[in-house]
């Protein structure tokens, strides 16, 4: 089947037109088209004005427009393809196009040319939406159906690009509505993002929602639409309501703080209820003062809409008690078995509503999170047996401990902006609830209660997340102080803690005595997230962090802004951070660095350079983290299938920059290690040579000439001969027995071996994995020297047995001299070892990094081949 010419093919079909005629048609079309357009198809045929009269005509098509021209290339009609009302073709040689402002019947003697007209129009629609249900009814007039399907199948459809072809559709709608194109949207929504978050782009008052909402009407990719804190005008609300009437894939709608009123809510609810293909489960309408009328529209929607909502946020809707009561009644009646999140904070609830809320909490098997005002919670909220997991309370009042008795399954408690009373803490409810997450941000608590709370949390022994952000701790002259609170937090045993937020309150920062908290956090074995912003610690904070991030292996997220960090502190932190391999999320301390950047141009450039290095290292950590996660997934899948685990390509081939930097560092360390090893070897060779020279001097000093031997020493000579004869088999044995003799001789001087092991240990420090031959070589060299020194001593004893006292004194003196020489050699070896102490630490850290990246490379020098046996 031949593919038909469409705008997606980037070809031009001149049809039956001559070249000169086509140029005239192209000139006319482009004079009315937008800049950058071109003619994709031009056909010459007949324009039927009625059943009997026809006139010659030319049809021209660009990427979005259809042009009807006279035979002399005069423009008759022009229309955008989105205005197309219907296409009718009862015979293969005729097609009728109906637009709002005109209709035309085009005739051609060749059926393929009529099919080309239908195919071009079909391709225009398909380029902006892979969903065809909304425009296929326009082509139902093409008969028979088999012919219509054949024409559609012959169209070359381009591949759908990122986000369901959002970019192409957005540009088409902008041209159709004659609105400027926002290139930021095209660049952001070109990947695989499921949430269409327009809030960052809608900050400007000139942002136009209409083309965006229009292209989202038939988008089949996005599942979430976010417009939080974005004021919506009436025109935008109308376009959004139309979007909700047409879209089929959206599941979440976030409209927090959009300035919606009761009429806007009514329009949106109507659009949702009329679309039977839209299955919204997440409705976020908090901070919109919609009043009683708006709440009534929502109650009606929840009652008649077939959707089962999972998430409902109606925070601070500015309605009265009776309206909220009706809303709760609709939720209990229609959403009881599906709802998992409900937020009714800052709403007044009447007596009937309190009863319905208690029924909802007590009967629902899906509700896991409930957000209320403390005033409502402290009222007679009665519920028996609840599966509620999270309770979020907000308000100036302290919650009543007695109300918590039925919340046995509660695992997360949030008290926001609450004046927490000492009675609430002293009753021990925090230990009885067995919480895993506690959130006290923006609340007020006295120091004595804080210390007591730390003890209760330690007793519960289940806390994994502790949020104390902007917690105001009140102190008194007679009670506990901030230092006592810090000590209580540090000494509390929280073995399962994963997240800790200690953002300072403006009135109670802990600028002094905060370093123990840092030590507690980084020495913790499970903590993965830490926020210590706002305490004004200064460069001491950066210095402490620089030391701690090097050794910590669990931290994943770190925030430390607003601590008065200077350029010097940032430099110190960067030095330590470059050796960290686990932190993947760390916002830059912009608040502190903004002050440094304003000092001078050189300071600003240095800050930018350091921040670039930190960002690059964070990216490497993220890549390594992903590689490790993929490796774990593949390992799990392989273990599940009973196969041998295979390393992923990401683990086997980490980032090229990481490998290059590591190999370069490795080469430098190898060169340094070889140089130090050579220096140590030279020192040992020099020590051996000195020992040999000393032996020769001893031999020359104590050896007696043969002519001076006395005849009355025959018996000792015979004894010496006998002793020498007994030792001959060991000295003149076979080649296989020679190593045994060496081992026997090496076993005798134990003190000498102990001294020889010291340079051996120093050499082993320089090379992490030496071969067995190197150990033997390092150990045997001093042994051989001492063995050679023993032979002339024994010979001296044999030759002059009559003077034992005179010979023993020089031998003892020589031993003392040899020991001093050996100590100097050992000191020299230690000196070279000390010079490389810092390199060893870096070698170990780099080897650990290479091991995590699965690079089969060692930082230690290549081992020598084993020495041949003598």
């Amino acid at each position: 089947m031949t593919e038909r010419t469409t705008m997606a093919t980037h070809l031009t079909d001149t049809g039956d037109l001559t070249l000169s005629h086509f140029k005239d048609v192209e000139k006319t079309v482009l004079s009315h088209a937008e800049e950058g357009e071109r003619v994709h198809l031009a056909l010459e045929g007949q324009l039927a004005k009625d059943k009997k009269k026809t006139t010659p005509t030319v049809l021209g098509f660009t990427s979005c427009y259809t042009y009807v021209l006279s035979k002399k290339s005069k423009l008759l009609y022009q229309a955008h393809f989105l205005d197309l009302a219907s296409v009718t073709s009862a015979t293969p040689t005729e097609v009728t196009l109906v637009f709002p402002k005109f209709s035309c019947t085009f005739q051609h003697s060749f059926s393929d040319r009529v099919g080309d007209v239908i195919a071009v129009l079909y391709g225009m629609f398909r380029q902006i939406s892979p969903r065809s249900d909304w425009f296929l009814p326009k082509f139902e007039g093409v008969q028979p159906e088999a012919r219509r399907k054949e024409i559609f199948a012959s169209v070359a459809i381009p591949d759908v690009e990122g986000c369901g072809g959002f970019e192409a559709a957005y540009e088409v709608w902008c041209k159709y509505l004659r609105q400027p194109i926002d290139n930021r949207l095209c660049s952001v929504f070109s990947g695989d993002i499921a949430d269409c978050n327009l809030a960052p782009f809608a900050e400007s008052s000139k942002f136009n929602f209409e083309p965006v909402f229009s292209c989202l009407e038939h988008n089949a990719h996005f599942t979430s639409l976010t417009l939080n804190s974005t004021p919506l005008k009436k025109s935008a609300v109308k376009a959004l309501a139309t979007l909700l009437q047409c879209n089929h894939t959206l599941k979440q709608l976030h409209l927090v703080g959009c300035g919606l009123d009761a009429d806007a809510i009514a329009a949106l609810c109507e659009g949702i209820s009329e679309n039977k293909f839209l299955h919204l489960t997440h409705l976020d309408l908090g901070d919109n003062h919609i009043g009683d009328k708006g709440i009534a529209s929502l109650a009606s929607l929840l009652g008649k809409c077939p959707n089962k909502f999972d998430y409902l946020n109606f925070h601070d809707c500015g309605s009265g008690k009776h309206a909220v009561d009706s809303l709760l009644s609709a939720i209990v009646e229609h959403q009881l078995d599906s709802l998992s999140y409900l937020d009714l904070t800052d709403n007044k609830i009447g007596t009937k509503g309190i009863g319905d809320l208690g029924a909802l909490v007590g009967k629902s098997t899906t509700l896991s999170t409930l957000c209320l005002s403390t005033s409502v919670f402290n009222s007679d909220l009665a519920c028996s047996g609840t599966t509620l997991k999270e309770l979020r309370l907000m308000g100036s009042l302290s919650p009543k401990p007695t109300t918590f008795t039925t919340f046995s399954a509660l695992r997360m408690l949030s008290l926001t902006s609450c004046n927490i009373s000492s009675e609430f803490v002293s009753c021990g409810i925090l230990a009885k609830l067995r919480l895993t997450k506690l959130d006290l941000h923006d609340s007020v608590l006295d120091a004595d209660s804080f210390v007591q709370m730390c003890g209760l949390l330690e007793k519960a022994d289940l806390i994994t997340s502790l949020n104390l952000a902007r917690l105001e701790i009140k102190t008194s002259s007679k009670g506990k102080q901030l230092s006592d609170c810090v000590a209580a937090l540090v000494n509390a045993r929280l073995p399962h803690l994963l997240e800790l937020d200690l953002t300072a309150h403006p009135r109670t920062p802990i600028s002094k005595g905060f370093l123990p908290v840092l030590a507690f956090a980084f020495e913790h074995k499970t903590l993965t997230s830490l926020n210590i912003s706002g305490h004004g610690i200064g460069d001491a904070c950066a210095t402490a962090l620089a030391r701690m991030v090097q050794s910590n292996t669990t931290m994943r997220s770190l925030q430390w802004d607003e601590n008065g960090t200077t350029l010097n502190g940032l430099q110190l932190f960067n030095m330590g951070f470059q050796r960290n391999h686990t932190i993947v999320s760390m916002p830059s301390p912009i608040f502190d660095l903004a002050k440094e950047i304003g000092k001078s141009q050189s300071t600003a450039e240095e800050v930018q350079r350091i921040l670039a290095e930190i960002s690059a290292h964070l990216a490497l950590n993220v890549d390594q983290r992903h590689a490790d996660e993929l490796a774990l997934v593949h390992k799990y899948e392989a273990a599940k299938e009973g196969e041998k685990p295979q390393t992923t390509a990401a683990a086997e081939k980490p980032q090229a920059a990481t490998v290059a930097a590591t190999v370069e560092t490795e080469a430098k360390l190898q060169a340094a290690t070889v140089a130090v090893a050579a220096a140590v070897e030279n020192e040992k060779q020099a020590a051996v040579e000195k020992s040999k020279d000393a032996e020769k001097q001893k031999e020359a000093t104590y050896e007696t000439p043969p002519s001076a031997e006395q005849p009355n020493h025959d018996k000792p000579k015979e004894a010496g001969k006998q002793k020498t004869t007994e030792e001959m088999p060991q000295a003149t044995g076979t080649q296989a027995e020679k190593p045994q003799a060496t081992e026997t001789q090496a076993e005798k001087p134990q003190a000498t071996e102990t001294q020889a092991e010291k340079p051996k240990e120093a050499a082993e420090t320089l090379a992490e994995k030496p071969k067995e031959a190197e150990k033997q070589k390092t150990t045997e060299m001093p042994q051989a020297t001492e063995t050679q020194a023993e032979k002339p001593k024994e010979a001296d004893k044999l030759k002059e047995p009559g003077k034992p006292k005179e010979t023993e004194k020089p031998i003892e003196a020589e031993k003392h001299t040899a020991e001093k020489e050996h100590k100097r050699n050992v000191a020299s070896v230690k000196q070279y070892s000390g010079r490389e102490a810092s390199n060893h630490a870096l070698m170990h850290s780099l080897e650990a990094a290479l091991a995590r990246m699965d690079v089969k490379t060692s930082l230690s020098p290549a081992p020598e081949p084993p020495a041949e046996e003598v």
Side-chain angles (χ1 to χ4, degrees):
M1 183 181 296
T2 305
E3 291 186 351
R4 297 182 183 272
T5 301
T6 66
M7 68 170 189
T9 60
H10 301 287
L11 299 174
T12 299
D13 190 347
T14 60
D16 304 326
L17 276 67
T18 62
L19 183 59
S20 59
H21 192 186
F22 175 77
K23 288 184 177 180
D24 293 338
V25 170
E26 185 179 38
K27 182 178 179 181
T28 302
V29 170
L30 295 183
S31 64
H32 293 82
E34 296 182 1
E35 184 178 357
E37 290 282 2
R38 65 184 183 86
V39 178
H40 292 276
L41 176 64
L43 296 175
E44 184 177 14
Q46 299 293 323
L47 182 65
K49 295 186 177 180
D50 51 40
K51 295 182 179 180
K52 296 182 179 180
K53 187 177 180 180
T54 60
T55 57
T57 187
V58 175
L59 281 183
F61 297 93
T62 60
S63 60
C64 297
Y65 283 87
T66 300
Y67 298 89
V68 182
L69 298 89
S70 66
K71 187 176 182 180
K72 294 183 179 181
S73 304
K74 181 181 179 181
L75 182 64
L76 302 177
Y77 306 108
Q78 173 186 353
H80 197 281
F81 79 92
L82 291 174
D83 290 327
L84 180 66
S86 64
V87 179
T88 304
S89 178
T91 62
T93 59
E94 182 180 276
V95 61
T96 300
L97 308 180
V98 179
F99 292 94
K101 294 183 179 181
F102 72 94
S103 63
C104 64
T105 300
F106 179 76
Q107 297 177 349
H108 202 282
S109 57
F110 293 102
S111 60
D112 287 347
R113 289 307 182 187
V114 174
D116 287 342
V117 174
I118 300 172
V120 166
L121 292 172
Y122 174 77
M124 289 180 180
F125 284 97
R126 283 300 304 269
Q127 70 167 334
I128 66 170
S129 175
R131 227 188 76 199
S132 58
D133 60 289
W134 63 282
F135 65 81
L136 279 182
K138 301 177 184 291
F139 294 88
E140 288 182 352
V142 180
Q143 297 295 332
E145 184 179 358
R147 172 170 168 255
R148 181 171 72 247
K149 291 183 177 179
E150 182 181 358
I151 293 174
F152 291 168
S154 65
V155 177
I157 304 299
D159 295 334
V160 178
E161 297 181 354
C163 296
F166 174 85
E167 181 178 357
Y170 175 65
E171 292 179 353
V172 168
W173 278 102
C174 285
K175 293 179 180 178
Y176 176 70
L177 298 172
R178 301 186 182 280
Q179 296 291 337
I181 298 175
D182 192 336
N183 294 322
R184 298 176 301 168
L185 293 174
C186 298
S187 59
V188 171
F189 299 121
S190 59
D192 195 27
I193 303 174
D195 179 22
C196 183
N197 187 359
L198 300 176
F201 309 100
E203 294 177 354
S204 174
S205 59
K206 297 181 180 180
F207 185 82
N208 196 322
F209 290 97
E210 190 174 359
V212 182
F213 289 161
S214 297
C215 72
L216 290 179
E217 290 179 10
H218 310 293
N219 183 278
H221 174 78
F222 292 111
T223 59
S224 175
L225 177 60
T226 303
L227 291 165
N228 292 339
S229 303
T230 303
L232 297 179
K233 299 180 181 179
K234 291 184 178 180
S235 59
V237 171
K238 183 179 179 180
L240 180 58
T242 305
L243 160 65
L244 295 175
Q245 288 178 354
C246 301
N247 189 276
H248 291 181
T249 58
L250 284 180
K251 295 184 181 300
Q252 299 184 12
L253 184 61
H254 303 270
L255 301 175
V256 177
C258 293
L260 302 177
D261 55 11
D263 295 334
I265 291 295
L268 297 180
C269 290
E270 183 180 358
I272 295 173
S273 60
E274 290 181 358
N275 189 351
K276 62 180 181 180
F277 298 104
L278 183 64
H279 301 288
L280 277 180
T281 61
H282 195 114
L283 193 57
D284 198 355
L285 298 175
D287 295 328
N288 290 293
H289 293 271
I290 59 180
D292 293 349
K293 186 179 177 181
I295 289 292
S297 299
L298 290 173
S300 176
L301 173 66
L302 297 176
K304 66 181 181 181
C305 182
N307 295 350
K308 294 295 184 181
F309 287 93
D310 173 71
Y311 183 104
L312 294 175
N313 178 14
F314 303 131
H315 174 272
D316 192 14
C317 289
S319 56
K321 296 180 180 180
H322 299 291
V324 178
D325 291 351
S326 63
L327 179 66
L328 281 169
S329 178
I331 292 174
V332 172
E333 185 176 353
H334 301 283
Q335 307 292 334
L336 183 65
D337 298 331
S338 63
L339 193 62
S340 65
Y341 184 99
L342 178 61
D343 190 348
L344 294 174
T345 309
D346 289 340
N347 285 301
K348 298 178 181 179
I349 303 178
T351 305
K352 184 179 181 301
I354 292 293
D356 290 335
L357 182 60
L360 173 65
V361 174
K363 295 180 180 180
S364 176
T365 58
T366 58
L367 187 64
S368 61
T369 304
L370 179 62
C371 305
L372 295 173
S373 299
T374 52
S375 58
V376 174
F377 184 79
N378 290 341
S379 60
D380 298 330
L381 182 61
C383 55
S384 58
T386 175
T387 58
L388 199 67
K389 302 294 184 183
E390 297 186 9
L391 180 61
R392 303 174 186 270
L393 303 179
M394 178 183 293
S396 58
L397 300 178
S398 179
K400 289 183 179 180
T402 55
T403 316
F404 287 94
T405 55
T406 58
F407 294 88
S408 58
L410 198 64
R411 292 295 174 265
M412 189 276 182
L413 177 62
S414 174
L415 304 177
T416 304
S417 303
C418 297
N419 291 312
I420 304 174
S421 63
S422 57
E423 291 79 12
F424 176 79
V425 177
S426 60
C427 71
I429 191 66
L430 295 178
K432 296 176 183 178
L433 289 176
R434 299 182 63 79
L435 299 173
T436 59
K437 296 182 179 180
L438 180 61
D439 186 355
L440 304 179
H441 74 278
D442 295 314
S443 294
V444 180
L445 183 65
D446 62 83
D448 294 335
S449 297
F450 183 88
V451 174
Q452 187 177 6
M453 180 191 69
C454 292
L456 292 174
L457 296 180
E458 180 181 358
K459 183 179 179 180
D461 195 28
L462 292 173
I463 289 293
T464 60
S465 176
L466 184 60
N467 187 355
L468 305 178
R470 298 176 299 280
L471 175 66
E472 183 178 0
I473 302 177
K474 289 188 174 181
T475 60
S476 62
S477 58
K478 298 181 180 180
K480 302 290 185 181
Q481 302 300 316
L482 285 178
S483 58
D484 300 320
C485 297
V486 171
L489 179 62
V490 171
N491 295 328
R493 297 180 181 178
L494 305 175
H496 308 291
L497 189 63
L498 299 176
E499 301 174 357
L500 180 60
D501 193 337
L502 297 175
T503 305
H505 190 276
R507 289 193 292 268
T508 57
I510 311 175
S511 56
K512 296 181 179 180
F514 194 79
L515 294 183
V517 179
L518 288 181
F520 158 77
F522 278 89
E523 292 175 2
H524 202 282
K525 296 182 179 180
T526 61
L527 193 65
T528 61
S529 177
L530 178 64
N531 189 345
I532 54 171
S533 302
H535 289 279
I537 311 171
D539 285 342
C541 176
T543 305
L545 290 176
R547 297 181 59 185
M548 295 172 182
V549 295
Q550 299 183 55
S551 58
N552 184 275
T553 59
T554 60
M555 197 69 65
R556 299 288 182 268
S557 175
L558 177 63
Q559 298 182 50
W560 54 293
D561 202 356
E562 299 184 56
N563 277 298
T565 305
T566 65
L567 176 60
N568 186 30
L570 184 65
Q571 292 172 337
L572 293 174
F573 174 80
N574 185 35
M575 293 174 61
F577 181 69
Q578 294 300 320
R579 298 186 179 185
N580 179 274
H581 303 283
T582 58
I583 295 178
V584 296
S585 174
M586 189 181 66
S588 301
I590 299 298
F591 185 85
D592 291 339
L593 298 180
K595 301 176 182 179
E596 292 295 306
I597 291 175
K599 291 182 177 180
S600 64
Q601 182 65 23
S602 59
T603 303
E605 293 176 355
E606 180 66 12
V607 168
Q608 292 176 357
R609 184 191 67 79
I610 296 175
L611 291 181
E613 290 183 2
I614 292 176
S615 299
H617 192 73
L618 276 174
L620 293 178
N621 287 354
V622 171
D623 293 339
Q624 184 59 41
R625 178 74 172 172
H626 290 169
D628 294 342
E629 291 175 353
L630 287 175
L632 288 176
V633 170
H634 283 268
K635 185 177 180 180
Y636 170 76
E637 292 176 352
K640 190 176 181 180
E641 296 175 0
E643 299 176 355
K644 184 179 180 180
Q646 297 179 357
T647 56
T648 62
E652 292 177 354
K653 299 179 180 180
Q655 295 293 325
T658 307
V659 177
T662 306
V663 171
E664 182 181 358
T665 306
E666 177 187 348
K668 293 180 180 179
L669 289 175
Q670 283 183 349
T673 305
V674 171
V676 174
V680 173
E681 188 66 26
N682 293 336
E683 290 287 343
K684 291 191 292 184
Q685 292 292 342
V688 171
E689 294 295 334
K690 290 181 179 179
S691 299
K692 290 182 178 180
D693 294 339
E695 291 168 7
K696 292 180 180 179
Q697 292 177 1
K698 288 188 294 182
E699 189 174 353
T701 303
Y702 297 108
E703 185 176 0
T704 304
S707 58
E709 292 180 358
Q710 300 296 330
N712 57 352
H713 291 164
D714 292 337
K715 291 182 180 181
K717 283 184 180 181
E718 292 176 1
K721 289 180 181 180
Q722 183 179 358
K723 184 176 181 180
T724 306
T725 305
E726 292 174 358
E727 294 176 356
M728 284 297 292
Q730 297 178 0
T732 59
T734 60
Q735 291 289 342
E737 294 176 349
K738 288 183 179 180
Q740 298 178 2
T742 304
E743 293 176 0
T744 305
Q745 295 172 1
E747 291 175 0
K748 294 180 180 179
Q750 297 178 358
T752 308
E753 287 181 354
T754 305
Q755 297 173 354
E757 286 177 356
K758 294 183 180 179
K760 170 189 168 184
E761 292 174 359
E764 286 179 350
T765 307
L766 297 172
E768 294 179 5
K769 298 179 180 179
K771 293 295 184 177
E772 192 65 25
E774 292 179 345
K775 293 182 180 180
Q776 294 177 358
K777 180 179 179 181
T778 308
T779 307
E780 290 174 2
M781 288 177 61
Q783 294 174 359
T785 304
E786 295 296 336
T787 306
Q788 294 174 3
E790 285 291 332
K791 291 182 179 180
K793 295 176 185 178
E794 293 178 2
D796 294 338
K797 291 180 181 179
L798 292 175
K799 292 179 180 180
E800 298 181 0
K803 301 179 180 179
K805 295 182 180 180
E806 296 178 0
T807 57
E808 286 177 1
K809 289 183 179 180
I811 291 174
E812 291 296 331
E814 186 63 32
K815 283 183 179 181
H816 184 67
T817 304
E819 287 177 1
K820 287 185 177 180
E821 185 69 25
H822 178 70
K823 289 181 179 180
R824 285 195 295 270
N825 295 336
V826 172
S828 177
V829 172
K830 289 183 177 179
Q831 181 182 5
Y832 283 105
S833 301
R835 293 175 184 176
E836 289 301 304
S838 59
N839 285 340
H840 294 326
L842 183 58
M843 288 164 60
H844 286 298
S845 62
L846 288 174
E847 282 194 335
L850 291 173
R852 285 195 294 273
M853 293 183 292
D854 212 5
V855 179
K856 299 179 179 179
T857 310
S858 176
L859 292 176
S860 58
E864 298 180 359
E868 297 182 359
E869 294 184 354
V870 180

